Amino acid sequence: MRWNSLRLVLAVGLCVLLQSSMASAQGRRGRRFQDRDAIANGWQFDYEAAKEAARRSKKPLMVVFRCVP
Amino acid sequence: MEKIRDIADEFVRVRLTQIESSNLKLFDFDYDLTFMVFFLSPEETVYARYGGRCEQGPDERQSLAGLRYTMKSVLAEHSAENRRFAPMEGGKPFFIGEIAPRSGLGRCIHCHQAKEVMYNKIDRDGDWDLNLAFRFPPPDNLGLKLEVDRSNIVERIAADSVADKAGLKEGDIVNSLNDVPIHSFGDAQYALDRAPKIGSIPVSWQRGAETHESRIELPDRWWRTDITWRPSLQNLIASPRLYGKDLTTDEKTALGLKEKQLAFRLPDTISEQPRLAGIQGGDIVYGVEGRHLEMGAYDFQTYFRSHFIKGEDVVINIIRDGMKLERKMRLAWR
């Protein structure tokens, strides 16, 4: 019984670790994609927000697809 | 950014680094590219596309000056009384996630991978067509070469090409092709992607103060291009599986062939692909599809890879016992 509880605790711990590692990987990836220079130069990374801004300003949209290796 | 800074603020600029969340009905482009720009109205209709490449290299068809030129052209379109838009497929939005497995673990689906997923689905559904390998053909296939830095101006028209016969000349500004407004090379590729396989397409251009209109007659197999640079199509690149030793000049002369003409003798043992076509060891290969090729056996491999794809039937021109023969060879599929 004690051995089973230990295994359960270990499994839950492993899941928590894996999830936090995935979240931080995604965070790193997000930061890498949205580099500070681009944001400082007026680039947005949220298409829906950009569409709304285009509607408000009546400016055309310039949408760039750029592969990040 | 420096080269476009003065006009950049005329646009709401957005950078998309993940294709999973993009409506591919709207953002329909050559997914083998690593850089593509769409210009849209605030109502989300497409003015223009900028981006493109060819087998000669990733930056042979794009430049910052060209991007700037297209941006200015789009701004003029945006403020015109009668704005023109690129036609697009109707129907409900399409996201690659509908048919692709979840990328998970923070992995990104590259654009070319989206294309692979789409093509695998088409293949699984039994709808595969070899011509899908040749989407987004360049206008060069019609004899129309556009400038890189002023991307809707004709740089060169190939003599006797269909573009030449339609009346286009160097320096003309292409207004529209196949009813797609042309601001860039990317627009021309999109226009030709929508063109029929046979028949003709309308073209309109500006020469000085005059507007001209004509039709371009589409030649046989006009849409075919070299696919060897495309990451998504590497599994379609074909090999002739024909190897051998080049004939000497004297041997060629004796067979009535020209000095620089392709001619190589196959070894006694050959692979299954040519054997199934009725080609035999010792045969001399001197052409493909009746084309006169000036190259050696080594360059023939490269030529073949860039001109034919797996699944096709290709006529191999051979000489056996002094007789010129043709053998239709099926290029092994998968």
Side-chain angles (χ1 to χ4, degrees):
Chain A
M1 183 64 188
R2 201 173 153 197
W3 177 238
N4 278 346
S5 303
L6 185 62
R7 279 206 295 199
L8 183 67
V9 169
L10 276 173
V12 169
L14 194 64
C15 284
V16 169
L17 263 175
L18 191 63
Q19 199 165 14
S20 95
S21 151
M22 279 169 63
S24 89
Q26 281 169 350
R28 279 197 303 276
R29 178 175 166 239
R31 280 194 296 278
R32 183 159 54 94
F33 287 170
Q34 300 179 16
D35 67 85
R36 282 185 205 148
D37 283 353
I39 293 167
N41 278 312
W43 290 93
Q44 302 191 32
F45 288 82
D46 180 340
Y47 180 62
E48 292 303 318
K51 259 191 337 189
E52 187 50 42
R55 275 192 213 105
R56 276 199 314 271
S57 64
K58 295 189 169 52
K59 288 182 181 178
L61 274 161
M62 178 177 178
V63 181
V64 174
F65 284 87
R66 190 170 173 192
C67 193
V68 179
Chain B
M1 186 66 189
E2 287 303 320
K3 291 198 173 169
I4 59 167
R5 188 180 293 280
D6 59 322
I7 51 171
D9 286 340
E10 300 297 318
F11 296 86
V12 173
R13 303 188 302 282
V14 58
R15 213 182 258 191
L16 302 182
T17 51
Q18 296 176 57
I19 201 163
E20 293 101 305
S21 51
S22 304
N23 171 11
L24 301 187
K25 274 271 175 66
L26 176 64
F27 297 113
D28 183 12
F29 67 100
D30 187 343
Y31 299 117
D32 279 309
L33 302 177
T34 53
F35 176 77
M36 189 75 193
V37 185
F38 277 76
F39 296 98
L40 299 98
S41 72
E43 301 81 31
E44 220 181 4
T45 42
V46 177
Y47 284 128
R49 290 160 167 77
Y50 187 82
R53 68 161 285 179
C54 61
E55 67 279 8
Q56 284 147 354
D59 292 322
E60 287 295 312
R61 299 307 176 99
Q62 57 188 9
S63 68
L64 273 172
L67 175 61
R68 181 189 169 80
Y69 178 92
T70 303
M71 289 169 77
K72 290 182 91 167
S73 186
V74 167
L75 286 174
E77 189 79 69
H78 183 62
S79 57
E81 200 171 317
N82 296 311
R83 293 183 296 167
R84 301 174 306 157
F85 299 106
M88 65 172 275
E89 255 188 73
K92 71 181 182 75
F94 169 70
F95 298 90
I96 197 66
E98 292 172 19
I99 56 170
R102 299 279 305 160
S103 54
L105 291 172
R107 273 183 62 236
C108 168
I109 295 184
H110 293 281
C111 294
H112 71 84
Q113 290 172 322
K115 185 172 162 188
E116 286 161 37
V117 167
M118 284 189 268
Y119 278 15
N120 285 337
K121 167 100 170 49
I122 290 169
D123 194 22
R124 280 199 309 275
D125 293 347
D127 296 328
W128 175 250
D129 176 347
L130 286 175
N131 291 327
L132 285 170
F134 302 106
R135 287 198 61 189
F136 298 98
D140 309 55
N141 285 17
L142 305 177
L144 167 59
K145 173 99 192 279
L146 295 171
E147 289 186 15
V148 175
D149 290 346
R150 298 183 301 167
S151 43
N152 61 357
I153 295 185
V154 178
E155 179 181 309
R156 196 170 57 246
I157 295 292
D160 297 324
S161 66
V162 288
D164 190 14
K165 287 170 186 159
L168 282 151
K169 291 194 187 309
E170 184 185 321
D172 288 342
I173 302 171
V174 182
N175 287 333
S176 69
L177 181 63
N178 195 27
D179 296 322
V180 174
I182 302 298
H183 301 273
S184 71
F185 175 78
D187 287 333
Q189 281 190 296
Y190 180 69
L192 295 181
D193 187 52
R194 302 172 59 84
K197 293 285 178 275
I198 51 171
S200 65
I201 53 171
V203 60
S204 158
W205 67 92
Q206 200 73 29
R207 184 178 300 155
E210 290 175 359
T211 302
H212 297 255
E213 287 182 356
S214 181
R215 293 193 75 84
I216 294 180
E217 297 294 331
L218 300 169
D220 186 35
R221 289 154 60 106
W222 67 272
W223 59 91
R224 294 179 65 100
T225 50
D226 182 349
I227 63 162
T228 51
W229 64 270
R230 294 179 174 276
S232 71
L233 300 177
Q234 292 302 302
N235 66 335
L236 284 181
I237 295 171
S239 164
R241 302 189 190 173
L242 293 166
Y243 311 94
K245 197 174 171 194
D246 287 315
L247 265 57
T248 63
T249 304
D250 288 345
E251 285 174 319
K252 287 182 188 177
T253 307
L255 290 166
L257 303 175
K258 296 211 166 91
E259 186 187 343
K260 289 184 179 169
Q261 189 171 349
L262 173 77
F264 62 94
R265 190 185 303 278
L266 299 173
D268 291 341
T269 307
I270 60 171
S271 71
E272 188 182 19
Q273 179 176 279
R275 196 158 39 78
L276 288 173
I279 296 171
Q280 298 174 4
D283 285 346
I284 294 160
V285 176
Y286 76 99
V288 181
E289 300 277 319
R291 294 173 203 169
H292 177 85
L293 304 174
E294 292 196 349
M295 60 184 69
Y298 182 80
D299 290 334
F300 174 70
Q301 303 299 320
T302 310
Y303 171 85
F304 201 93
R305 285 160 55 86
S306 61
H307 284 77
F308 304 103
I309 63 172
K310 287 180 185 174
E312 288 189 300
D313 289 330
V314 179
V315 173
I316 307 295
N317 304 106
I318 58 170
I319 297 176
R320 182 183 300 159
D321 301 327
M323 294 270 292
K324 289 186 173 173
L325 304 170
E326 290 183 350
R327 291 291 179 267
K328 190 181 278 186
M329 184 169 77
R330 168 67 53 92
L331 303 178
W333 175 249
R334 302 240 163 86

